[in-house]
Amino acid sequence: MAGRVYEAWKGSNKFLFGGRLIFGPDAWSLPFTLLLIITPVTLFSVFVATHLRHRFFSNTAGDAILVVAILFTLFVLILLFLTSARDPGIVPRNLHPPEEELCYEATVSADGRQAPTVQIPRTKEVMVYGVPVRVKYCDTCMLYRPPRCSHCSICNNCVERFDHHCPWVGQCIGVRNYRFFFMFVSSATLLCIYVFSMSALYIKFLMNNNQSTVWRAMRESPWSVMLMIYSFISLWFVGGLTGFHLYLISTNQTTYENFRYRSDNRINVYDRGCSNNFLETFCSKVKPSRNDFRAFMREEPPRNITMATTWERPGEEEEECSDLEEQRQKVEDDLDIDEDVMKLQQRSNAEESSDPAHHMVEVDQMRVGSCERAPTIRSEVRHGNWGGRSSAQEDVVSGSSVIRESRSYAAAEEGR
């Protein structure tokens, strides 16, 4: 039975629950991110929020501080899950290069032959909003990347509207999870502000009730101080990301495009105005995944690209036919010569009794002569079928040289 798609996936992704969840290869960083979120919120709930409940006259207001912190944390964790556990917009790979884009170019070999070579153009132009945009060919995925698509070297996939690969969520950020990533970062920013402000409020209550200085209040609640420091440091990170991505959304850019093309002064053909850019990011329908990781694999038969192996020049077929006819005539002549050699051998055997010593010397000289010439002829470099001698031709030439010497020997005998 054929396996499922996720079992033979060529990317570096990790799948859980039978291919229902997809993560990047660095998904091990996800538990660390969860720890950075859950730990401070837990400390805040135990050492700050519970004490603040008794500082308000209404118990409902005091309980709201704890409830808001818990609900806000759950919201952030859900957004983190939607960002890291779904397909970011992976473009399915091709099993073979696109045949309609193949280019056949002729290369001239040393013997004058023209051999075709198959090449694929590295780039081609497509129209986007009436403006030509150059897209690149991906050798790994064997496809032309759609506009705004790039190949992630970490996940080893081509991702539509590739923004960046985020190690904190262990996933690529693309067209299908970018809005969840932005909402996760912005929500984490608001959570840091909430924890910081509530911790500072608790310090303020301690100062007012005990009529003490800020230092004495901080010594009374050290966990509030630690949470304020932690939230302030985190705010610089997630808050900076939120501001940067607000700028990217307003100009309809990706992080990859901003870092790579900002020095080229290119015209951003995707910028449709600030309001339309925000509507496109948050109000447009999320594209369905182009991959069904749980589907069963289908074995496709191998595809053969039909093309000529050599390109022949005009008149070459006629030359080959004439060469073959000439070789056939030589072989027929050699067969006639073989009959003369057999007769010569019979005659030499009849005269062997009259002059055995002289005959042995002459025959030995003939053998020596033929042995000296044959290796010289066979030592020629053998070429292919084009422009060179074949092994059959060499045998014919070597056999002809021996026969000529045999005829000279027979003529000398008749002269005697």
Side-chain angles (χ1 to χ4, degrees):
M1 185 175 181
R4 297 184 183 268
V5 173
Y6 76 90
E7 296 176 343
W9 189 253
K10 295 183 179 180
S12 303
N13 304 91
K14 295 181 179 180
F15 297 88
L16 294 179
F17 301 106
R20 292 178 175 86
L21 302 180
I22 175 174
F23 297 90
D26 50 352
W28 56 267
S29 62
L30 192 58
F32 180 70
T33 304
L34 293 174
L35 188 66
L36 293 177
I37 297 173
I38 296 175
T39 301
V41 174
T42 303
L43 295 175
F44 172 79
S45 301
V46 173
F47 297 102
V48 177
T50 53
H51 294 289
L52 281 175
R53 293 175 56 191
H54 306 290
R55 300 294 176 178
F56 293 92
F57 295 104
S58 173
N59 292 332
T60 304
D63 294 337
I65 297 176
L66 180 61
V67 172
V68 169
I70 295 175
L71 293 179
F72 219 144
T73 303
L74 291 176
F75 181 66
V76 171
L77 296 179
I78 291 173
L79 291 173
L80 176 61
F81 176 79
L82 293 175
T83 303
S84 60
R86 65 186 293 145
D87 176 11
I90 299 174
V91 181
R93 300 188 181 199
N94 288 334
L95 299 178
H96 51 81
E99 296 183 9
E100 64 275 6
E101 302 292 343
L102 297 179
C103 294
Y104 300 91
E105 296 184 0
T107 57
V108 181
S109 58
D111 58 353
R113 290 278 174 179
Q114 291 184 349
T117 58
V118 181
Q119 294 183 356
I120 298 179
R122 306 309 305 167
T123 60
K124 73 174 184 179
E125 289 187 350
V126 297
M127 301 300 294
V128 178
Y129 300 127
V131 179
V133 176
R134 182 175 298 177
V135 295
K136 296 182 179 180
Y137 179 78
C138 180
D139 293 315
T140 304
C141 300
M142 291 187 289
L143 53 84
Y144 281 98
R145 302 168 186 165
R148 314 191 81 178
C149 175
S150 183
H151 190 89
C152 177
S153 58
I154 299 176
C155 293
N156 195 23
N157 295 313
C158 280
V159 180
E160 288 188 89
R161 201 184 184 277
F162 176 76
D163 190 86
H164 69 288
H165 183 93
C166 182
W168 298 100
V169 302
Q171 183 64 280
C172 287
I173 308 302
V175 66
R176 298 191 69 248
N177 63 348
Y178 178 78
R179 69 176 62 178
F180 301 109
F181 169 77
F182 176 79
M183 294 174 64
F184 162 71
V185 174
S186 58
S187 300
T189 301
L190 296 177
L191 182 61
C192 290
I193 296 175
Y194 180 80
V195 172
F196 181 87
S197 59
M198 291 296 104
S199 300
L201 181 63
Y202 182 57
I203 295 293
K204 179 65 175 176
F205 281 148
L206 291 178
M207 291 174 57
N208 294 337
N209 293 339
N210 300 331
Q211 300 294 326
S212 59
T213 62
V214 63
W215 301 108
R216 184 175 296 179
M218 292 171 63
R219 285 196 301 268
E220 187 175 348
S221 179
W223 287 109
S224 299
V225 178
M226 295 178 62
L227 288 172
M228 291 175 62
I229 296 174
Y230 179 83
S231 300
F232 181 78
I233 295 175
S234 301
L235 189 60
W236 280 98
F237 176 70
V238 293
L241 278 177
T242 302
F244 176 66
H245 282 279
L246 281 174
Y247 162 73
L248 294 179
I249 294 173
S250 63
T251 56
N252 207 335
Q253 299 183 67
T254 64
T255 304
Y256 179 81
E257 292 170 349
N258 181 265
F259 278 89
R260 181 163 185 174
Y261 302 123
R262 61 182 174 181
S263 60
D264 296 343
N265 295 324
R266 295 187 178 184
I267 299 176
N268 186 6
V269 299
Y270 308 102
D271 189 2
R272 304 168 60 187
C274 182
S275 58
N276 291 328
N277 293 336
F278 273 94
L279 290 175
E280 179 183 344
T281 302
F282 296 106
C283 299
S284 61
K285 185 178 180 181
V286 178
K287 290 185 177 181
S289 176
R290 301 174 63 177
N291 303 279
D292 187 3
F293 300 108
R294 291 180 48 78
F296 290 100
M297 294 181 59
R298 297 179 180 178
E299 296 182 359
E300 294 188 2
R303 299 170 64 100
N304 297 325
I305 300 177
T306 305
M307 69 179 195
T309 56
T310 57
W311 290 352
E312 298 180 353
R313 294 191 303 268
E316 285 186 348
E317 294 183 357
E318 291 77 0
E319 294 177 2
E320 293 176 4
C321 293
S322 60
D323 292 340
L324 293 174
E325 186 66 27
E326 184 179 354
Q327 293 177 11
R328 188 182 300 109
Q329 186 64 32
K330 288 183 178 179
V331 171
E332 292 176 356
D333 295 340
D334 291 338
L335 291 176
D336 296 337
I337 295 173
D338 289 340
E339 295 180 358
D340 296 339
V341 173
M342 293 177 62
K343 294 178 181 180
L344 179 62
Q345 289 179 351
Q346 293 176 358
R347 183 174 180 179
S348 61
N349 291 333
E351 295 177 354
E352 185 177 359
S353 57
S354 60
D355 194 0
H358 179 73
H359 174 75
M360 186 177 298
V361 172
E362 293 293 338
V363 171
D364 291 339
Q365 289 178 355
M366 181 182 68
R367 291 177 179 175
V368 170
S370 62
C371 294
E372 288 178 353
R373 298 176 65 88
T376 305
I377 296 173
R378 290 195 179 93
S379 62
E380 294 180 358
V381 179
R382 295 186 179 183
H383 302 283
N385 294 333
W386 305 104
R389 289 181 175 177
S390 62
S391 58
Q393 288 176 317
E394 292 178 0
D395 295 338
V396 171
V397 174
S398 61
S400 300
S401 63
V402 176
I403 292 168
R404 291 193 193 98
E405 293 181 4
S406 301
R407 282 185 170 179
S408 62
Y409 173 76
E413 288 292 333
E414 290 177 359
R416 292 178 182 179

